[in-house]
Amino acid sequence: MTRVGILGAGMAGLSCAWLLRQRGVETIVFEKQPYVGGLARSFDWHGFDCDFAAHRLFSRDEYALEQLLNLVPMGRHLRRSQLYFNGHWMRDPFDVSQLLTKASPLIQLDILRTYLTRPKNLPQDSFEAYVVANYGRRLYEFFFRPYTEKLFGIPGRDISVSWAQTKVRLASPFDRFKQSTKTKFSYFYYPLHGGYGAIPQKLYEEVRDAVHLNTTVTGLERTDSRITGVNYIRDGEACSAEVDILISTLPLTLTARMLGHQIPLSYRKVDAVYLLLNRPFGSDNHWIYFMDDDISVNRMVEFKNMSPLDKPEETSVVCAEVTQDHDRVEQRVVDDLVRTRFIRPDEVLDTMVLREDFSYPVYSRDYEAVVARTGELIGQFENLHVVGRAAEFKHREVDDNFAAAVEKVNELMEGIEEKPVVVEPVWPAEPEIPQIWGVILAYNNMDDTLECLESLTHVTFSDLKVVLVDNGSTDATVATVRERYPTVHVIENGKNLWVPAGYNVGFEYALQQGADYILLLNNDTTVTENMIDLLLAEARQDPKAGILMPTVAYYDEPEAVWASGARYRKFPPAVIMQTQGDRLQDLPQLIEYAPSCGLLIRRAAFEKAGLFDPGYLFLNDDWDFCERVRAHGMTIKYVPEARMYHKVSRSTGGPASPLFWQVFAESNVRFYRRHGQPAWLSVPVHVGYIFLREFVVKGNWRFLRPFLRGVQDGYRKPLGSIPQVGTS
């Protein structure tokens, strides 16, 4: 059997070990530290899950993203970040328009002058030359040089042009219309529990028996063209292990040294300075970048904004990355943050500093040539491979390291198996007869509720359990249901919690009882006898389907289709109901949006994406949930043969109600604040279009006042975090 040795149990090493384990390949992992994760590790400090410095998961590699999202539950965030520059707080990414308001007139004129007279024929062979040739000398000195030289610790003229080509991100105002890239990503994922280190920790749990911690590698056994073994010290004892293949995730300089070569590459250290603040939040941002070189901090992250679950309410922790060298670095960070007016001195309750010496590969002007020569040296050994940020001397994020591990393992498998094996996500196993709970929300309209419950007594699925959540009905709903349907579990909220919060009560109860699926139903619906069986059959065929939707017909016109899903139209912006009144499709199909009058929802969808957002009242909560489910790698499926009937807007009064217009406006503002890209532009564009369509064109002026109240409420109410399973 082939045995693969792996040097380092950081993200790259653990990813390789985990992927090889899926393919049945034996591995042995050597890690010097008593912990795993490397730069991606996390730890507990004052009740907070703290990472080493700042991390985020954003990837356009769908396979890597799907695998990582399947490892641990994660939340999806719209990026919130700021820049501190020249004494001002600015939005990120920085764009040209901000110069007009934040720079003095003399600087503005000098930027314009040096831009117009920039040396366009200047050889672009360094960071400095690239920026000067493209933006002018004044903008280089004013904005680009300070942060970059602070990061690398060398002059801009000695930094590789490739850094400028990939990282310079001065945007025009129009760049905000462009799709997200690795430098201008608008959203990201972050684990709900355990910090970013939950990702490598999960990998470690599955390959723990192959990982040797507290183990120092002392040398490599080799022939002319192969690595044959690894020498190491563990528990004070010198040992050796034979290997057929060796993967090094160690810094490239260390790998070369083991082969007897000294190479002129360097890494920039990071001091991660942690501050415990005596206030609930430091700011509303995930990250803050400090561009001036007289501010010691490069960037700062606030972990509570990444995931507030189970965190102390009255305090918060920020982590400042510092690449410069300072005596008493924690005091320098505090002084600088006080100077920027981010904190007051008396708000700092405690500090801590952690250092990593191999954090940033330094992109000197000749680094690419050195890396290429080093690659040739390593290539002399046919079974030696390097994977990872430090090992390949590349500025990579965790998802990039995972994707690189996937690529390398597939390459290795070509020599072990006939073809690479693609590992599909492992979805949770379900029992032969899954537990399905129907969750119905009621608010008066007793006759509708009774008819809905009666239809459920005729379904062919043999073991349906039902919970009725009552939102403070003032008719005889609760007493009558208990009398006529004694097997239905009734939960009385005692007041109207509105739709998403009311449903969450039922979802939590059903999930606590062990539900594998939840059948969400409005109380003004009825179902056909085989609807559940048809939806469940499709769910069994497609384990990625998180939500399954039947054909929804009008109750009063059973042959007319009210909805078979919906899609988002970008311009003019609107949610478009599919096949409304049209002929049905024949086969199940993927959809973007499933209206929530009747849905079969897989347990995993709640565990990954969370429950409904209680900040909505009764519109867009389902669209919001669908967005989050799809963002977590699951799909939404329409099953045409399954059928139900809907009485449509019995509780809210529909578009003739002032309440509808107020909630309609508030829900749209909330939705685009959370999901719009970018939100500052998306909200006015969408709300402005609705105003033109509904008031200017259709003339619904009598509802303008509640509509404007809704817009105001949508902006005023905080977005908050999404309730997670087991936390509400």
Side-chain angles (χ1 to χ4, degrees), residues 576-716:
I576 306 299
M577 301 291 273
Q578 293 182 177
T579 65
Q580 187 168 5
D582 295 342
R583 184 176 65 84
L584 298 183
Q585 302 293 323
D586 296 324
L587 298 174
Q589 58 183 286
L590 297 179
I591 57 176
E592 294 181 5
Y593 164 44
S596 62
C597 56
L599 303 172
L600 186 66
I601 306 173
R602 197 185 296 267
R603 182 187 187 93
F606 290 111
E607 292 176 337
K608 288 175 176 290
L611 305 178
F612 279 9
D613 180 356
Y616 295 96
L617 297 184
F618 57 75
L619 290 173
N620 283 19
D621 50 312
D622 44 9
W623 183 223
D624 174 276
F625 182 66
C626 289
E627 282 287 287
R628 289 186 278 116
V629 168
R630 291 194 298 121
H632 282 78
M634 304 192 80
T635 60
I636 304 170
K637 214 153 196 184
Y638 163 55
V639 184
E641 289 184 303
R643 198 174 184 88
M644 65 178 294
Y645 305 99
H646 185 28
K647 298 174 184 176
V648 186
S649 302
R650 286 288 180 94
S651 299
T652 63
S657 163
L659 174 64
F660 171 88
W661 286 93
Q662 181 172 341
V663 174
F664 178 54
E666 180 181 335
S667 296
N668 274 281
V669 171
R670 184 176 187 85
F671 178 84
Y672 290 108
R673 280 179 65 198
R674 190 181 290 282
H675 298 288
Q677 298 183 15
W680 69 270
L681 178 63
S682 186
V683 174
V685 166
H686 286 82
V687 174
Y689 171 72
I690 292 171
F691 175 83
L692 291 173
R693 183 188 67 196
E694 299 297 336
F695 297 99
V696 176
V697 177
K698 296 184 179 180
N700 291 308
W701 295 106
R702 62 194 178 106
F703 296 115
L704 179 60
R705 183 170 294 179
F707 180 84
L708 294 178
R709 280 200 303 269
V711 171
Q712 183 180 26
D713 289 343
Y715 273 111
R716 179 176 55 85

Side-chain angles (χ1 to χ4, degrees), residues 16 44 59 171 196 225 249 283 299 329 388 415 437 451 543 581 594-595 613 626 657:
C16 287
D44 179 89
S59 177
Y196 208 75
S225 63
T249 68
S283 75
R299 63 175 176 174
V329 63
W437 277 81
E451 189 173 5
D613 180 356
C626 289
S657 163

Side-chain angles (χ1 to χ4, degrees), residues 476-489:
T477 294
V478 171
T480 305
V481 168
R482 283 180 170 151
E483 178 184 351
R484 296 190 186 181
Y485 301 96
T487 60
V488 173
H489 182 79

Side-chain angles (χ1 to χ4, degrees), residues 218-510:
T218 57
L220 303 177
E221 297 289 338
R222 50 188 170 147
T223 63
D224 291 339
S225 63
R226 294 184 63 84
I227 304 296
T228 59
V230 177
N231 298 324
Y232 61 95
I233 295 176
R234 188 183 188 197
D235 297 329
E237 182 180 351
C239 307
S240 64
E242 293 183 357
V243 297
D244 300 293
I245 297 171
L246 184 65
I247 298 173
S248 176
T249 68
L250 303 181
L252 189 58
T253 51
L254 298 185
T255 303
R257 190 181 306 165
M258 287 184 182
L259 300 175
H261 301 283
Q262 296 289 335
I263 57 175
L265 295 174
S266 62
Y267 295 81
R268 188 75 157 147
K269 66 83 184 171
V270 163
D271 287 323
V273 180
Y274 300 83
L275 307 181
L276 176 66
L277 302 181
N278 188 24
R279 63 189 194 196
F281 288 91
S283 75
D284 188 46
N285 294 295
H286 300 109
W287 301 279
I288 296 175
Y289 295 83
F290 296 86
M291 309 305 294
D292 305 292
D293 54 4
D294 63 340
I295 301 291
S296 60
V297 182
N298 294 37
R299 63 175 176 174
M300 186 167 64
V301 60
E302 184 162 3
F303 301 114
K304 203 171 183 179
N305 287 329
M306 299 297 195
S307 179
L309 300 179
D310 305 322
K311 303 298 188 298
E313 294 184 0
E314 300 303 320
T315 56
S316 189
V317 169
V318 296
C319 174
E321 288 186 24
V322 179
T323 53
Q324 293 176 332
D325 291 311
H326 296 284
D327 295 330
R328 298 187 63 219
V329 63
E330 63 271 34
Q331 187 59 54
R332 174 61 187 264
V333 167
V334 171
D335 293 343
D336 284 344
L337 293 181
V338 169
R339 181 155 58 99
T340 64
R341 303 180 302 281
F342 181 79
I343 58 172
R344 300 191 311 271
D346 60 353
E347 291 181 312
V348 180
L349 300 177
D350 195 7
T351 63
M352 180 180 66
V353 182
L354 296 178
R355 170 172 287 198
E356 284 287 347
D357 291 325
F358 296 93
S359 292
Y360 286 102
V362 176
Y363 281 9
S364 59
R365 286 180 62 172
D366 61 347
Y367 92 93
E368 291 171 303
V370 176
V371 170
R373 291 197 300 271
T374 307
E376 293 175 358
L377 295 173
I378 291 173
Q380 295 175 7
F381 298 90
E382 60 188 31
N383 65 336
L384 175 59
H385 308 269
V386 293
V387 179
R389 176 188 176 100
E392 297 180 70
F393 211 77
K394 293 181 179 179
H395 284 256
R396 278 181 168 161
E397 303 295 339
V398 167
D399 58 280
D400 298 317
N401 284 333
F402 185 85
V406 170
E407 182 178 357
K408 179 56 67 176
V409 168
N410 275 336
E411 174 190 327
L412 295 178
M413 296 309 296
E414 291 181 353
I416 300 173
E417 297 179 348
E418 293 183 0
K419 60 181 180 179
V421 177
V422 177
V423 179
E424 295 296 333
V426 179
W427 300 95
E430 295 175 352
E432 184 176 348
I433 301 178
Q435 190 176 146
I436 300 180
W437 277 81
V439 177
I440 303 170
L441 183 67
Y443 178 61
N444 295 320
N445 297 312
M446 179 181 67
D447 291 340
D448 289 338
T449 301
L450 296 176
E451 189 173 5
C452 178
L453 289 170
E454 182 62 27
S455 73
L456 291 176
T457 65
H458 300 289
V459 298
T460 53
F461 182 78
S462 60
D463 193 26
L464 178 67
K465 300 175 178 64
V466 179
V467 56
L468 177 75
V469 180
D470 186 79
N471 252 356
S473 295
T474 56
D475 57 13
T477 294
V478 171
T480 305
V481 168
R482 283 180 170 151
E483 178 184 351
R484 296 190 186 181
Y485 301 96
T487 60
V488 173
H489 182 79
V490 179
I491 300 176
E492 295 182 72
N493 288 334
K495 62 179 181 179
N496 188 1
L497 300 182
W498 299 100
V499 173
Y503 270 122
N504 282 350
V505 173
F507 296 157
E508 262 306 351
Y509 176 81

